[in-house]
Amino acid sequence: AQSVTQPDIHITVSEGASLELRCNYSYGATPYLFWYVQSPGQGLQLLLKYFSGDTLVQGIKGFEAEFKRSQSSFNLRKPSVHWSDAAEYFCAVGLTGTASKLTFGTGTRLQVTL
Amino acid sequence: DTAVSQTPKYLVTQMGNDKSIKCEQNLGHDTMYWYKQDSKKFLKIMFSYNNKELIINETVPNRFSPKSPDKAHLNLHINSLELGDSAVYFCASSGTSGSIETQYFGPGTRLLVL
């Protein structure tokens, strides 16, 4: 069965600093990978996704992620964090077959200090 | 112009009661989902419907009964509510079943069972 690990439960960065959130997955086939963001009291918003092709994908709000098959990773990055980026970030892997579903990691809470 | 909407946003009720949560999507998608997010923010799929047909049922107590009157709506009825049912319930939708499509999430329904 597929699984997703987000090793960092909580990360604090200063505004303007760079950010990298880690995501590792376990899946036998080519994975479909997603990053979602959840602001406090809100639903989940898709930041970016990887299905195939270029392993560096660009998303909304200045985020990008790089798929590294050899490391089974899909880390999320942003060169300069804004205070409004404070939120919970979820990595997810998609499973194809008779039904599609997402398996989520446990999330990383990002705190931004001014 | 909300793509995926849920009602109610908040639901506070007593143990043993029966309650329903409604979900509607105006994206023209074929597949809809219910996810449960627990107090530790862990997200887990509960059900998935494609064109009004149940395709995923993930070891959920039979007190939970989804109903899809048409492909734009997926409701969740919960009988005999228990304290452990307190969580945030998210509805989502995607384009097709059997392939990975981006899932779009609603704002969530925060259920508190007293």
Side-chain angles (χ1 to χ4, degrees):
Chain A
Q2 73 280 7
S3 66
V4 180
T5 302
Q6 292 180 248
D8 304 307
I9 296 172
H10 188 196
I11 283 183
T12 300
V13 299
S14 300
E15 189 174 40
S18 63
L19 171 71
E20 183 169 27
L21 302 182
R22 296 183 291 165
C23 173
N24 293 97
Y25 66 89
S26 171
Y27 187 50
T30 301
Y32 298 84
L33 296 159
F34 305 80
W35 275 100
Y36 283 85
V37 60
Q38 183 181 22
S39 298
Q42 302 297 313
L44 282 83
Q45 182 182 23
L46 179 72
L47 283 176
L48 46 78
K49 61 189 178 187
Y50 171 77
F51 284 6
S52 65
D54 193 345
T55 56
L56 184 63
V57 294
Q58 302 297 321
I60 61 171
K61 304 185 181 187
F63 285 93
E64 66 178 26
E66 186 171 12
F67 169 59
K68 292 186 178 179
R69 185 187 299 275
S70 61
Q71 298 176 19
S72 297
S73 68
F74 188 58
N75 294 347
L76 182 71
R77 301 193 293 248
K78 186 169 184 178
S80 178
V81 168
H82 188 262
W83 64 266
S84 61
D85 293 325
E88 192 90 23
Y89 291 79
F90 293 94
C91 182
V93 61
L95 173 67
T96 59
T98 56
S100 59
K101 65 176 183 179
L102 293 179
T103 297
F104 284 87
T106 49
T108 297
R109 183 178 174 195
L110 173 65
Q111 187 174 357
V112 181
T113 57
L114 299 175
Chain B
D1 284 30
T2 305
V4 182
S5 59
Q6 296 178 228
T7 54
K9 190 169 183 179
Y10 299 96
L11 188 52
V12 181
T13 188
Q14 298 287 330
M15 220 167 37
N17 285 349
D18 303 338
K19 290 293 178 186
S20 291
I21 306 171
K22 295 186 176 183
C23 178
E24 176 181 3
Q25 55 94 4
N26 62 7
L27 297 166
H29 287 163
D30 296 327
T31 308
M32 296 184 73
Y33 311 80
W34 278 111
Y35 287 84
K36 179 180 179 180
Q37 185 176 46
D38 63 22
S39 58
K40 295 185 177 175
K41 301 278 187 177
F42 183 60
L43 271 156
K44 192 174 187 329
I45 190 166
M46 300 172 68
F47 301 104
S48 173
Y49 267 75
N50 178 256
N51 280 319
K52 304 194 297 177
E53 185 179 340
L54 180 66
I55 52 174
I56 294 176
N57 184 343
E58 291 276 310
T59 320
V60 177
N62 57 15
R63 297 183 296 104
F64 290 79
S65 52
K67 285 187 172 53
S68 182
D70 55 62
K71 72 175 191 178
H73 296 83
L74 180 62
N75 303 324
L76 183 65
H77 188 75
I78 316 171
N79 289 326
S80 304
L81 277 155
E82 300 178 356
L83 295 177
D85 298 331
S86 296
V88 183
Y89 293 85
F90 286 101
C91 178
S93 72
S94 68
T96 59
S97 174
S99 64
I100 286 295
E101 295 279 344
T102 300
Q103 293 185 21
Y104 295 88
F105 285 77
T109 295
R110 284 144 187 85
L111 171 64
L112 177 61
V113 182
L114 302 174

